[in-house]
Amino acid sequence: MEFDLENTMTSLEEQQFDTVPNLFASESDHMPSRNLLHCLKTSGFYVSFRQEAISLILQAQYSCNHDAFIPYLAVNYMDRFISKQEIPQGKPWIIRLLVISCLSLAAKMKNAHFSVSDFQGEEAGFIFDTQTINRMELLILDALNWRMRSITPFSFVHFFISVLELKDPSTSQPLKDRATEIIFKAQNEIKFLEFKPSIVAASALLVASNELLPLQFPLFKCSFSSCAFVNKEKLLSCFNAVQEMVEMEWYESMLDTMSCTRTPLSVLDRLCTKSESETTSTTSITNGSTVPEIKRRRLNGHSSK
């Protein structure tokens, strides 16, 4: 049976009323250990290793036209594996073998075709036989305690949308689509590894609602904050981190647009743009204005309301 990241539990008994509490209770078992966060904060090797691994996984997605959930699942496996297994330095072949094996496992979980030959060639520098890849897959499975049906932020999206009690049901799909985009982007950022999948999902939906339904945002924030399964402080911290990520994306997009319409874009132009952007951001937090200030709103900016 194909694994659906949005419906992690699929057996009959798991579809009962206690499915949601079970998801929240089990999500920590599907996160990287805190050891990975420590390594990423103290070791440049682990930072570059993870960045290169994610780059290779995304490269495979583009070249093989995979379902976007396959690389997402592969990165989840990779993060959980390297959080429990020490990665030896000075052996560059390890990263490619790990990536291939994680992609292979993720493809199997999605019942999707994955050709190893499409991912390794002479230009890659390393070629692994099937037996070597199978052994690496077993190492990964063992490190993950065979928990391959990963609980991710996608597992909680439907639940949190139901919590919103949207007045217009047609807005649920745009919210889900935008939150999905944010969740995909957040996986690449080291800072989100410390948050539980449910917190990332709730934060992504709050940012999406902030952009798409700004007038209802305060109500949505209250609904999530009062949810029995949600840690309010963690939600605040994660929301602000997601908002910063989205703001940076927006700012970089603005600079790209300016560089296309005003060539050349001088250093002075960039500094002026940044100064104006910071001024706008300050105004939005103070006044609680709408677009483009909506993108710059902080969750604690509504704490007094």
Side-chain angles (χ1 to χ4, degrees), residues 19-33:
T19 297
V20 171
N22 283 342
L23 273 177
F24 281 94
S26 304
E27 61 178 326
S28 295
D29 295 332
H30 298 256
M31 294 175 61
S33 70

Side-chain angles (χ1 to χ4, degrees), residues 160-168 171-172 175 202 205-227 230 235 239 299:
F160 282 117
I161 287 180
S162 70
V163 170
L164 295 179
E165 297 182 352
L166 296 169
K167 296 178 182 178
D168 182 1
T171 59
S172 65
L175 276 176
L205 277 167
L206 278 179
V207 171
S209 67
N210 192 10
E211 295 175 358
L212 303 177
L213 302 169
L215 296 180
Q216 299 179 56
F217 173 78
L219 177 61
F220 294 163
K221 183 264 294 187
C222 289
S223 296
F224 284 1
S225 298
S226 60
C227 177
V230 173
L235 177 63
F239 172 88
L299 189 56

Side-chain angles (χ1 to χ4, degrees), residues 87-267:
I87 305 299
Q89 301 187 34
K91 297 182 178 180
W93 55 269
I94 289 180
I95 187 170
R96 189 165 288 269
L97 177 59
L98 176 60
V99 165
I100 291 174
S101 302
C102 287
L103 281 168
S104 176
L105 288 170
K108 290 174 183 176
M109 290 299 295
K110 295 291 292 180
N111 281 349
H113 173 72
F114 176 74
S115 175
V116 173
S117 60
D118 290 341
F119 191 67
Q120 59 178 354
E122 293 183 1
E123 70 280 357
F126 306 101
I127 298 179
F128 307 102
D129 57 34
T130 302
Q131 186 177 7
T132 301
I133 295 172
N134 288 340
R135 284 200 302 266
M136 187 65 195
E137 288 180 354
L138 288 174
L139 284 174
I140 296 170
L141 289 168
D142 184 62
L144 273 55
N145 295 320
W146 290 75
R147 293 191 178 105
M148 309 308 289
R149 302 181 66 83
S150 298
I151 297 177
T152 71
F154 297 108
S155 307
F156 299 92
V157 170
H158 287 301
F159 167 75
F160 282 117
I161 287 180
S162 70
V163 170
L164 295 179
E165 297 182 352
L166 296 169
K167 296 178 182 178
D168 182 1
S170 65
T171 59
S172 65
Q173 191 60 48
L175 276 176
K176 177 185 174 184
D177 291 343
R178 178 56 179 146
T180 296
E181 292 177 0
I182 293 171
I183 291 170
F184 276 127
K185 288 183 173 65
Q187 189 184 40
N188 301 338
E189 302 284 340
I190 293 173
K191 58 188 173 184
F192 293 110
L193 291 174
E194 68 176 278
F195 298 109
K196 292 182 177 180
S198 60
I199 294 295
V200 174
S203 300
L205 277 167
L206 278 179
V207 171
S209 67
N210 192 10
E211 295 175 358
L212 303 177
L213 302 169
L215 296 180
Q216 299 179 56
F217 173 78
L219 177 61
F220 294 163
K221 183 264 294 187
C222 289
S223 296
F224 284 1
S225 298
S226 60
C227 177
F229 301 110
V230 173
N231 181 301
K232 186 175 180 179
E233 288 71 28
K234 290 291 186 181
L235 177 63
L236 169 64
S237 178
C238 187
F239 172 88
N240 285 335
V242 172
Q243 190 76 325
E244 287 176 3
M245 179 187 73
V246 170
E247 287 176 11
M248 182 59 65
E249 179 187 16
W250 175 83
Y251 177 67
E252 290 174 352
S253 176
M254 182 182 68
L255 286 182
D256 289 342
T257 301
M258 291 181 64
S259 65
C260 291
T261 57
R262 298 175 60 191
T263 306
L265 183 64
S266 67
V267 174

Side-chain angles (χ1 to χ4, degrees), residues 56-95:
L56 288 171
I57 289 172
L58 294 179
Q59 175 185 326
Q61 176 191 359
Y62 296 134
S63 61
C64 302
N65 196 27
H66 284 148
D67 175 350
F69 287 109
I70 291 178
Y72 189 93
L73 198 55
V75 173
N76 175 271
Y77 294 161
M78 185 267 296
D79 279 338
R80 290 162 60 195
F81 177 79
I82 65 175
S83 74
K84 296 181 178 181
Q85 296 287 332
E86 184 177 355
I87 305 299
Q89 301 187 34
K91 297 182 178 180
W93 55 269
I94 289 180
I95 187 170

